[in-house]
C-alpha cells in the first residue's frame, strides 16, 4: 500500500528526479558508521541493499527500458535513505532491529579484508551477535518501526 512520500529539502538537496507526492508505508534505510572512508561508505551501502532485494521481492519494481527499447534491470521501487552514526548508535540500532525481527543485512569491519562471498559469510559466522564490529546495517519495515531502530542516527550528508 502506498500513500505519499515526502523528501526533506535542504542545502544541496535536489528535488528533481524524485516525486514528492508518493509516501510509502515502509522504509528502506541504511545506517553507516560515521568513521568510514568515502569509498567504504559506498561499498558498504551497495552490499547491504543487495541483501534486502533478494529477500523482499516486493521491494523491486519493474524492469526499465529506454526509448530505443534497450532493457535495464529493475531497481527498488522506493527510495533508500542513508543515515550515519557512531559505533554505539549502530550497535543499538542492530539490537532494536533484532528485537523487532525486521529484515536486515549487516556489514562488519572484517569484510573489508575478505575477497569473496564465502569468506564474507565465514567472517560473520565466526563472531557472536553482540561482538560483531558493525560498520553498516540495512533494514526494511514499517516506517514507524524503522524510525525507532534508527533512533540517534542522522541523515548522511
Amino acid at each position: 500500500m502506498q500513500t505519499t512520500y515526502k523528501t526533506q529539502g535542504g542545502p544541496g538537496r535536489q528535488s528533481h528526479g524524485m516525486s514528492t507526492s508518493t509516501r510509502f508505508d515502509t522504509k528502506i534505510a541504511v545506517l553507516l558508521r560515521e568513521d568510514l572512508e568515502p569509498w567504504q561508505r559506498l561499498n558498504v551501502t551497495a552490499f547491504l541493499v543487495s541483501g534486502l532485494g533478494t529477500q523482499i521481492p516486493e521491494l523491486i519494481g519493474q524492469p526499465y527500458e529506454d526509448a530505443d527499447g534497450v532493457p535495464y534491470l529493475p531497481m527498488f521501487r522506493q527510495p533508500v535513505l542513508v543515515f550515519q552514526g557512531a559505533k554505539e548508535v549502530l550497535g543499538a540500532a542492530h539490537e532494536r532491529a533484532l528485537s523487532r525481527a525486521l529484515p536486515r543485512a549487516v556489514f562488519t569491519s572484517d569484510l573489508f579484508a575478505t575477497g569473496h562471498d564465502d569468506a564474507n559469510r565465514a567472517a560473520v559466522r565466526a563472531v557472536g551477535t553482540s561482538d560483531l564490529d558493525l560498520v553498516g546495517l540495512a533494514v526494511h519495515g514499517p516506517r514507524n518501526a524503522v524510525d525507532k531502530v534508527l533512533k540517534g542516527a542522522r541523515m548522511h550528508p
Side-chain angles (χ1 to χ4, degrees):
M1 173 190 255
Q2 293 182 17
T3 47
T4 21
Y5 178 81
K6 300 231 180 202
T7 57
Q8 301 222 341
R13 298 238 186 228
Q14 297 178 352
S15 61
H16 63 76
M18 182 184 297
S19 169
T20 58
S21 63
T22 304
R23 181 180 175 101
F24 295 91
D25 292 333
T26 62
K27 183 180 277 189
I28 301 170
V30 173
L31 174 56
L32 302 171
R33 203 165 73 192
E34 63 190 2
D35 61 348
L36 296 179
E37 295 293 325
W39 73 266
Q40 292 173 318
R41 291 171 185 255
L42 296 170
N43 185 272
V44 170
T45 300
F47 269 91
L48 288 172
V49 297
S50 71
L52 292 177
T54 63
Q55 294 301 304
I56 312 165
E58 63 272 15
L59 288 179
I60 306 298
Q62 295 299 311
Y64 288 75
E65 184 176 294
D66 66 24
D68 294 323
V70 176
Y72 301 95
L73 296 172
M75 296 183 279
F76 287 130
R77 56 181 198 81
Q78 69 185 84
V80 175
L81 303 173
V82 182
F83 296 82
Q84 67 178 9
K87 183 176 183 170
E88 297 77 21
V89 171
L90 197 55
H94 181 240
E95 288 177 20
R96 290 189 291 264
L98 290 172
S99 72
R100 287 172 171 77
L102 292 177
R104 65 210 163 268
V106 296
F107 197 104
T108 67
S109 63
D110 296 328
L111 302 187
F112 290 124
T114 59
H116 54 85
D117 191 46
D118 289 337
N120 289 348
R121 285 195 311 281
V124 174
R125 190 179 314 111
V127 180
T129 305
S130 62
D131 294 323
L132 291 170
D133 185 17
L134 296 171
V135 298
L137 172 71
V139 294
H140 172 262
R143 292 177 57 78
N144 191 31
V146 172
D147 289 342
K148 288 178 181 177
V149 165
L150 298 173
K151 182 179 179 183
R154 60 192 183 283
M155 286 294 290
H156 190 279

